[in-house]
């Protein structure tokens, strides 16, 4: 349901809406989105009720200490000031799904694609992982030492970031270059334009070259902060940036410990914008075990 809703939002995000017309007539997309919204809310309410019933029956002494449990606890808070509304609870569930799964899933997919194409970088990354972790599961101390993998992640974020643009509302009138932006309008800053600007990155801007980041982000961007911001900039940058990066490093390390990756002949390159940049037909690769003939 969330996938379908995401596609509907991305298809209609730039369409101009006439005030009050929605009360008289609703498009097929709007009717479908309302149906999906209700379905998602009903499903979340079902999960909430299961948690609440367990507490009432004495089967559990709390709503749980996971993310949903914390939200349900806030939803049932006796203090009006601390209580979250049902709308906010459902919204948080949708956000954590998109921010916590879709973005990392997409990033991992694009990294795997690039490693399948660029076998030299795949081997460099594998050697680094084996040197640090051996055959053991990744651990926090070792994750911080993954320099080559960090370079690969940053270069993939530059080419295929989790978001191609950042919507912002202008709080007060401001001059931006030759433009004067009035208050209360929405603007979309396209980081994909800056990430692929040859004036900032050179003539090979469209090529996968992780060595750009060998000496860190600041040096790669020539100390231009706005040249690279896959997770946003400033106080409103993504709070999940470190978590998402760590998830990616753990998953990628475990893949490289076990498999070699090559590109399938069935792969068709077709990136599309669905809030983030995603492969339209998925990414087909061939995994060969490092420890068997399978």
């Amino acid at each position: 349901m969330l996938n379908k809703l995401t596609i509907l939002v991305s298809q209609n995000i730039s369409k101009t809406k006439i005030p009050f017309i929605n009360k008289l007539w609703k498009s097929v997309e709007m009717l479908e989105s309302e149906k999906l919204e209700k379905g998602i809310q009903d499903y979340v309410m079902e999960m909430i009720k299961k948690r609440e019933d367990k507490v009432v029956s004495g089967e559990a002494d709390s709503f749980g200490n996971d993310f949903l449990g914390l939200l349900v606890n806030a939803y049932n808070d006796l203090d009006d000031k601390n209580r979250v509304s049902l709308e906010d609870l459902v919204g948080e569930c949708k956000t954590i799904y998109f921010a916590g799964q879709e973005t990392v899933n997409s990033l991992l997919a694009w990294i795997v694609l690039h490693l399948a194409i660029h076998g030299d970088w795949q081997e460099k990354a594998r050697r680094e992982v084996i040197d640090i972790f051996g055959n053991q599961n990744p651990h926090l101390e070792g994750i911080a030492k993954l320099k080559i993998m960090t370079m690969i992640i940053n270069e993939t974020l530059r080419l295929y970031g989790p978001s191609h643009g950042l919507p912002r509302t202008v709080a007060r009138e401001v001059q931006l270059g030759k433009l004067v932006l009035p208050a209360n309008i929405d603007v979309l800053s396209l980081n994909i334009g800056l990430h692929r600007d040859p004036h900032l990155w050179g003539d090979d801007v469209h090529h996968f070259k992780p060595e750009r980041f060998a000496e860190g982000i600041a040096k790669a961007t020539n100390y231009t902060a706005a040249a690279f911001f896959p997770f946003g900039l400033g106080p409103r940058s993504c709070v999940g940036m470190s978590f998402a990066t760590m998830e990616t490093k753990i998953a990628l390390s475990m893949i490289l410990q076990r498999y070699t990756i090559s590109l399938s002949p069935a792969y068709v390159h077709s990136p599309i914008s669905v809030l983030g940049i995603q492969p339209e037909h998925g990414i087909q690769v061939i995994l060969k075990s490092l420890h068997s003939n399978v």
Side-chain angles (χ1 to χ4, degrees), residues 1-45:
M1 287 187 289
L2 280 163
N3 280 334
K4 289 179 180 177
L5 189 61
T6 299
I7 292 169
L8 282 172
V9 169
S10 66
Q11 289 174 341
N12 293 275
I13 196 167
S14 298
K15 289 185 178 179
T16 303
K17 297 176 179 63
I18 302 172
F20 309 115
I21 195 69
N22 291 338
K23 294 183 179 180
L24 303 174
W25 175 84
K26 293 182 179 180
S27 65
V28 174
E29 290 92 345
M30 183 165 288
L31 291 171
E32 177 67 13
S33 66
E34 288 180 353
K35 180 182 176 182
L36 289 168
E37 285 277 9
K38 185 180 184 304
I40 292 167
Q41 180 167 313
D42 290 346
Y43 188 72
V44 173
M45 283 303 300

Side-chain angles (χ1 to χ4, degrees), residues 206-271:
H206 300 302
H207 297 171
F208 178 75
K209 298 185 68 175
E211 61 265 31
R212 299 178 204 275
F213 293 94
E215 297 181 61
I217 293 173
K219 192 71 180 289
T221 59
N222 198 22
Y223 302 95
T224 306
F228 182 72
F229 57 106
F231 293 97
L233 278 175
R236 294 187 66 84
S237 60
C238 177
V239 296
M241 176 176 65
S242 297
F243 181 66
T245 305
M246 187 178 295
E247 273 189 309
T248 302
K249 288 181 177 180
I250 291 171
L252 194 57
S253 293
M254 296 178 78
I255 292 170
L256 290 171
Q257 284 174 322
R258 291 162 174 80
Y259 303 102
T260 59
I261 310 164
S262 57
L263 194 62
S264 167
Y267 175 69
V268 177
H269 192 60
S270 181

Side-chain angles (χ1 to χ4, degrees), residues 48-114:
I48 293 171
K49 191 173 187 307
K50 285 181 181 178
R51 301 262 178 137
E52 291 174 332
D53 288 347
K54 284 185 177 181
V55 172
V56 172
S57 65
E59 189 179 340
D61 56 5
S62 72
F63 298 119
N65 60 1
D66 58 6
F67 185 69
L68 181 60
L70 295 173
L71 286 173
V72 176
N73 191 62
Y75 176 63
N76 286 276
D77 200 300
L78 298 175
D79 190 339
D80 290 344
K81 295 179 180 178
N82 296 327
R83 189 184 306 145
V84 299
S85 66
L86 176 61
E87 182 182 1
D88 286 341
L89 191 154
V90 174
E92 290 291 345
C93 287
K94 288 192 290 187
T95 299
I96 201 68
Y97 171 80
F98 178 74
Q101 178 167 322
E102 284 297 296
T103 52
V104 174
N105 192 30
S106 180
L107 173 59
L108 267 171
W110 292 122
I111 292 173
V112 166
L113 171 68
H114 283 116

Side-chain angles (χ1 to χ4, degrees), residues 132-275:
I132 293 174
F133 301 120
N135 293 321
Q136 302 300 311
N137 284 338
H139 48 76
L140 191 61
E141 182 183 352
I143 287 170
K145 298 176 181 177
L146 293 171
K147 180 181 177 181
I148 290 174
M149 189 178 291
T150 300
M151 291 158 55
I152 291 169
I153 290 172
N154 283 337
E155 180 68 345
T156 306
L157 284 170
R158 185 185 69 82
L159 292 168
Y160 300 98
S163 172
H164 64 282
L166 298 172
R168 290 291 182 263
T169 299
V170 180
R172 55 180 174 79
E173 184 178 296
V174 63
Q175 184 159 351
L176 185 65
K178 297 179 180 180
L179 301 175
V180 176
L181 305 181
N184 302 317
I185 67 165
D186 294 327
V187 296
L188 182 65
S189 57
L190 295 174
N191 51 8
I192 192 171
L194 290 164
H195 289 176
R196 290 178 177 260
D197 187 343
H199 297 293
L200 295 169
W201 300 96
D203 293 335
D204 57 359
V205 64
H206 300 302
H207 297 171
F208 178 75
K209 298 185 68 175
E211 61 265 31
R212 299 178 204 275
F213 293 94
E215 297 181 61
I217 293 173
K219 192 71 180 289
T221 59
N222 198 22
Y223 302 95
T224 306
F228 182 72
F229 57 106
F231 293 97
L233 278 175
R236 294 187 66 84
S237 60
C238 177
V239 296
M241 176 176 65
S242 297
F243 181 66
T245 305
M246 187 178 295
E247 273 189 309
T248 302
K249 288 181 177 180
I250 291 171
L252 194 57
S253 293
M254 296 178 78
I255 292 170
L256 290 171
Q257 284 174 322
R258 291 162 174 80
Y259 303 102
T260 59
I261 310 164
S262 57
L263 194 62
S264 167
Y267 175 69
V268 177
H269 192 60
S270 181
I272 58 169
S273 174
V274 185
L275 295 188

